[in-house]
């Protein structure tokens, strides 16, 4: 008969309180908790994989301390009390990347990023929007330079990366396509640091949604504050002042109020069709335009609530899709300057190959191919 493992009830109670379990997993946990059954190692390993809880945790006598500090900076403090394993693992991986990059930059005698933490949220929204646009070298009518939101996102992401802010993105945990990052849990987050600030974008969002998140999180970097953007419909219950300002600044960058009003008056038709057309014109989401429409008193609050819910539903139904070329997809997830720094570290003998592979979810072959793909280098 296979040997069974005795798990501390403290750990089982912690698992029960920390993870959203399906009915089968909960029955299994109850049986272990009551002592009616005890798991074999293989059963425990299978349960660990299913719940995303590290196997080693089950051998502890008391629950581990998992202090996900970024929860303090969540947009909506009324939700996300218990983050999923997928979010926890993603944040932890980004923290490792940021720590490596920070150490690399300091060892290379790099300076702190001058604009990181340079803006004051007490300043007016229009002045702040102009300051952020200046940092990104964007004219007020920058949307005219792009055909679609995807093009704008790629261009602005490149500018932000070149400024020294790492921009990572993915719709899954690592390379596990079965662990999809839920848009209902978070859209993006920022890990602030004066040397190596990092923005992570949930790429299951639409391109216009990702563009909003990118500008929103970059504004957080300019304020010098970390952020977990988890307000799904743009309306949170307990917003900090910085969150309200970041949303307002981002909306002003995407659809300047005066330009919006001029565009609104030039288009005829039903409200829904007008907001769709204006969203396409400004390369932003319909939700941003609807909020502009409400603030300009073109619609009532009741109309806004109905249209906003409809726009949110459509957004969720048309999120990003995975698949396609592996290297192209994987390269899109990694900040180019970070990958370049890793490559230089390997060449200089200051970074182990294994460390570079771990941080990028690659091996020797795929790392080299990824580097060539991302930076366009040829042998």
């Amino acid at each position: 008969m296979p040997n069974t493992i005795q798990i501390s009830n403290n750990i089982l109670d912690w698992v029960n309180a920390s993870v959203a379990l399906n009915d089968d997993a909960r029955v299994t946990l109850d049986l272990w908790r009551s002592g009616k059954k005890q798991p074999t190692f293989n059963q425990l390993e299978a349960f660990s994989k299913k719940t995303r809880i590290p196997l080693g945790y089950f051998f502890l006598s008391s629950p581990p301390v998992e202090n996900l500090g970024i929860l303090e900076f969540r947009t909506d403090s009324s939700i996300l009390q218990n983050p999923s394993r997928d979010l926890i693992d993603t944040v932890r991986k980004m923290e490792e990347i940021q720590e490596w990059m920070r150490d690399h930059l300091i060892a290379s005698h790099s300076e702190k990023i001058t604009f990181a933490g340079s803006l004051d949220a007490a300043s007016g929204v229009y002045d702040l929007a102009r300051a952020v646009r200046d940092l990104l070298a964007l004219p007020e009518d920058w949307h005219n330079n792009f055909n679609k939101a995807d093009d704008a996102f790629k261009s602005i992401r490149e500018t932000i990366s070149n400024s020294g802010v790492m921009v990572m993105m993915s719709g899954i945990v690592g390379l596990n396509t079965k662990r999809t990052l839920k848009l209902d849990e978070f859209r993006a987050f920022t890990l602030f640091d004066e040397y190596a600030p990092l923005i992570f974008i949930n790429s299951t969002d639409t391109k216009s949604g990702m563009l909003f998140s990118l500008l929103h999180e970059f504004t957080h970097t300019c304020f010098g504050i970390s952020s977990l953007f988890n307000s799904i419909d743009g309306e949170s219950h307990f917003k900090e002042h910085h969150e309200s300002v970041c949303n307002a600044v981002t909306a002003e960058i995407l659809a300047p109020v005066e330009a919006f009003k001029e565009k609104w008056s030039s288009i005829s038709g039903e409200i829904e069709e007008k907001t769709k057309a204006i969203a396409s014109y400004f390369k932003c989401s319909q939700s941003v335009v609807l909020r502009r429409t409400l603030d300009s008193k073109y619609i009532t609050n009741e109309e806004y609530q109905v249209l906003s819910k409809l726009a949110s539903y459509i957004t969720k139904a048309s999120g990003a899709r995975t698949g396609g070329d592996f290297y192209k997809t994987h390269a899109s997830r990694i900040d180019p300057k970070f990958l370049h720094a890793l490559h230089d570290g390997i060449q200089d003998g200051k970074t182990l190959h294994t460390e570079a592979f771990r941080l990028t979810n690659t091996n020797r072959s795929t790392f080299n191919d990824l580097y060539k793909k991302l930076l366009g280098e040829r042998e």
Side-chain angles (χ1 to χ4, degrees):
M1 183 175 180
N3 293 328
T4 57
I5 298 169
Q6 179 71 46
I7 306 172
S8 167
N9 282 341
N10 290 332
I11 296 297
L12 295 177
D13 289 341
W14 172 77
V15 171
N16 186 55
S18 302
V19 181
L21 301 172
N22 60 30
D23 291 341
D24 289 342
R26 192 167 297 283
V27 168
T28 298
L29 199 68
D30 289 344
L31 289 173
W32 295 350
R33 180 70 176 78
S34 66
K36 293 179 180 179
K37 284 189 176 182
Q38 292 180 347
T40 64
F41 180 83
N42 288 341
Q43 290 171 338
L44 185 59
E45 187 176 37
F47 190 83
S48 168
K49 291 180 179 179
K50 187 176 296 185
T51 59
R52 316 297 188 198
I53 295 177
L55 181 61
Y57 285 8
F58 291 97
F59 294 89
L60 300 174
S61 58
S62 57
V65 177
E66 288 192 309
N67 181 23
L68 200 65
I70 199 171
L71 285 184
E72 299 176 14
F73 303 99
R74 61 192 185 276
T75 305
D76 191 340
S77 56
S78 68
I79 58 176
L80 199 61
Q81 302 300 322
N82 295 310
S84 69
R85 297 305 315 177
D86 296 334
L87 175 56
I88 291 173
D89 291 348
T90 299
V91 171
R92 294 288 185 241
K93 186 59 172 262
M94 294 304 112
E95 287 175 337
E96 289 181 9
I97 288 172
Q98 183 180 57
E99 182 180 5
W100 183 92
M101 192 65 168
R102 174 185 169 85
D103 291 345
H104 169 78
L105 291 170
I106 292 175
S108 303
H109 306 291
S110 298
E111 300 291 333
K112 294 179 181 178
I113 297 177
T114 55
F115 65 81
S118 64
L119 297 186
D120 186 350
S123 303
V125 169
Y126 302 117
D127 289 338
L128 288 169
R130 183 173 60 250
V132 173
R133 283 200 308 268
D134 288 345
L135 286 171
L136 298 175
L138 292 174
E140 187 169 327
D141 62 348
W142 61 269
H143 53 272
N144 289 326
N145 297 328
F146 303 99
N147 292 322
K148 52 186 179 179
D150 190 17
D151 298 331
F153 175 84
K154 290 176 181 177
S155 178
I156 294 175
R157 179 189 181 184
E158 182 179 4
T159 300
I160 291 176
S161 174
N162 289 336
S163 76
V165 180
M166 287 183 288
V167 183
M168 314 289 284
M169 61 182 248
S170 185
I172 60 175
V173 181
L175 298 179
N176 192 339
T177 55
K178 294 182 179 179
R179 297 185 64 183
T180 304
L181 298 176
K182 303 298 188 294
L183 196 62
D184 286 340
E185 185 171 36
F186 80 105
R187 289 183 179 275
F189 60 78
T190 295
L191 301 175
F192 180 73
D193 183 83
E194 293 178 309
Y195 286 93
L198 184 149
I199 294 171
F200 182 89
I201 304 293
N202 185 342
S203 63
T204 63
D205 204 350
T206 60
K207 295 302 181 182
S208 59
M210 289 165 59
L211 179 57
F212 185 96
S213 295
L214 180 63
L215 290 168
H216 180 277
E217 297 306 308
F218 181 72
T219 303
H220 266 287
T221 300
C222 295
F223 288 153
I225 299 174
S226 295
S227 162
L228 178 57
F229 190 25
N230 70 316
S231 179
I232 302 307
D233 297 318
E235 297 295 319
S236 59
H237 299 91
F238 301 101
K239 277 184 180 173
E240 295 290 338
H241 176 62
H242 286 94
E243 286 302 329
S244 298
V245 174
C246 282
N247 274 350
V249 169
T250 303
E252 179 61 22
I253 293 172
L254 287 170
V257 64
E258 294 304 322
F260 162 76
K261 290 180 177 179
E262 182 179 341
K263 193 66 179 175
W264 178 271
S265 63
S266 70
I267 298 177
S268 60
E270 297 296 325
I271 292 175
E272 186 177 351
E273 294 305 316
K274 289 182 71 169
T275 55
K276 283 182 179 179
I278 293 173
S280 177
Y281 175 76
F282 284 112
K283 315 302 183 295
C284 66
S285 69
Q286 194 176 357
S287 295
V288 171
V289 174
L290 283 169
R291 187 69 205 189
R292 274 281 188 247
T293 307
L294 175 65
D295 292 340
S296 300
K297 303 187 186 319
Y298 294 149
I299 58 175
T300 66
N301 188 63
E302 289 74 18
E303 289 174 316
Y304 170 75
Q305 294 299 330
V306 172
L307 292 169
S308 183
K309 287 180 180 179
L310 177 60
S312 177
Y313 175 81
I314 293 173
T315 295
K316 291 176 182 178
S318 60
R321 301 290 184 262
T322 58
D325 179 80
F326 169 79
Y327 289 107
K328 182 178 181 180
T329 301
H330 198 35
S332 71
R333 297 169 179 156
I334 301 175
D335 184 89
K337 295 194 76 172
F338 167 65
L339 188 61
H340 195 82
L342 276 176
H343 182 267
D344 288 349
I346 292 173
Q347 297 300 309
D348 295 340
K350 297 177 181 179
T351 301
L352 295 174
H353 284 85
T354 53
E355 185 174 25
F357 303 157
R358 178 178 60 81
L359 291 173
T360 54
N361 297 311
T362 58
N363 55 37
R364 185 180 297 275
S365 174
T366 56
F367 179 86
N368 291 332
D369 289 341
L370 182 67
Y371 181 74
K372 295 171 188 174
K373 182 74 173 182
L374 188 62
L375 302 176
E377 295 201 358
R378 298 290 185 268
E379 290 184 332

